[in-house]
């Protein structure tokens, strides 16, 4: 993703703003949904808008804007997944290709295409085998916490310890260091929370 940025020096700022913005939206969505739907809130948050009427009385015609909001929210997961699919598949295929590439195959377009096709078909085949959407989302959420929080935090802790061992305490900070995200207490806190949430999600699945 960083390689596609024209001004790579702004990568840290872009990622930080994206993370905070997404986190704020999700928290706001959870609070608003729980407040509006109350005890009738269903686990898959978008399905709460399936019977959204915009405040119309029972039996009264539903306004067009209420139907538009309901449809937009219901189809949002499909649109978001379709948009995120290439963003995930292409970097993953490039990473795997670079890991196992040789001087002769580094620029092999056919192997890159095969990797992209394989990584695209894998989730489709798994989704076709499991019909329960809630289970798919729960398992996806668990993997998301592991990949987005546990793995990066673990790698950061290991890399920081190795850098200090090789070059001394001054190597703990570099041009990518930022407060508070790069502090030890913050990294360990995120790691602990990710473990608890992933374990809870696995228990629910």
């Amino acid at each position: 993703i960083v390689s596609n940025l024209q001004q790579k020096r702004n990568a840290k700022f872009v990622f930080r703003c994206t993370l905070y913005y997404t986190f704020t939206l999700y928290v706001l969505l959870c609070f608003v949904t729980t407040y509006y739907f109350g005890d009738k809130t269903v686990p898959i948050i978008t399905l709460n808008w399936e019977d959204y009427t915009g405040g119309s009385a029972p039996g009264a015609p539903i306004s067009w804007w209420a139907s538009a909001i309901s449809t937009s929210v219901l189809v949002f997961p499909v649109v978001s997944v379709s948009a995120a699919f290439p963003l995930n598949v292409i970097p993953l295929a490039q990473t795997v290709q670079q890991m196992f590439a040789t001087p002769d195959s580094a620029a092999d377009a056919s192997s890159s295409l095969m990797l992209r096709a394989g990584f695209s078909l894998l989730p489709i085949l798994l989704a076709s085998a499991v019909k329960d959407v809630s289970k798919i989302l729960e398992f996806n959420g668990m993997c998301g916490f592991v990949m987005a929080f546990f793995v990066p935090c673990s790698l950061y802790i290991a890399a920081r310890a190795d850098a200090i061992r090789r070059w001394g305490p001054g190597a703990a900070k570099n041009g990518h260091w930022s407060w508070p995200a790069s502090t030890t207490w913050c990294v360990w806190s995120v790691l602990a929370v990710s473990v608890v949430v992933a374990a809870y999600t696995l228990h629910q699945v």
Side-chain angles (χ1 to χ4, degrees):
I1 297 177
V2 177
S3 61
N4 295 323
L5 291 176
Q6 294 181 354
Q7 298 181 356
K8 295 179 175 55
R9 67 175 62 183
N10 296 329
K12 183 169 61 176
F13 175 76
V14 172
F15 291 150
R16 183 187 302 165
C17 291
T18 302
L19 180 61
Y20 291 158
Y21 177 73
T22 305
F23 175 78
T24 303
L25 285 182
Y26 273 109
V27 172
L28 182 62
L29 182 61
C30 290
F31 277 109
V32 171
T33 303
T34 305
Y35 174 79
Y36 183 83
F37 295 101
D39 297 335
K40 297 181 180 179
T41 305
V42 297
I44 303 178
I45 196 167
T46 54
L47 296 183
N48 289 283
W49 273 267
E50 183 177 7
D51 299 322
Y52 179 71
T53 61
S56 300
I62 300 176
S63 303
W64 66 269
W65 57 267
S67 299
I69 292 176
S70 175
T71 304
S72 300
V73 174
L74 291 175
V75 301
F76 174 77
V78 178
V79 177
S80 62
V81 170
S82 301
F85 215 65
L87 295 177
N88 296 325
V89 171
I90 294 176
L92 178 60
Q94 292 175 344
T95 302
V96 173
Q97 187 179 22
Q98 292 175 1
M99 288 175 58
F100 301 99
T102 61
D104 297 331
S105 63
D108 189 358
S110 60
S111 61
S112 177
L113 183 61
M114 291 178 60
L115 284 173
R116 294 179 186 182
F119 289 135
S120 299
L121 290 175
L122 181 61
I124 295 176
L125 294 176
L126 292 175
S128 64
V130 181
K131 306 299 182 182
D132 192 342
V133 178
S134 61
K135 295 296 182 183
I136 294 176
L137 294 178
E138 289 174 356
F139 183 78
N140 180 68
M142 180 192 67
C143 295
F145 272 102
V146 173
M147 296 302 297
F149 298 102
F150 180 81
V151 173
C153 290
S154 300
L155 292 176
Y156 177 84
I157 293 171
R160 183 178 185 275
D162 185 64
I164 294 176
R165 179 179 58 83
R166 290 188 180 188
W167 299 292
K173 295 183 180 181
N174 54 29
H176 301 286
W177 194 94
S178 63
W179 189 93
S182 299
T183 57
T184 304
W185 64 267
C186 182
V187 175
W188 278 105
S189 299
V190 174
L191 180 63
V193 171
S194 66
V195 171
V196 173
V197 174
Y200 176 78
T201 307
L202 180 62
H203 175 71
Q204 293 295 106
V205 174

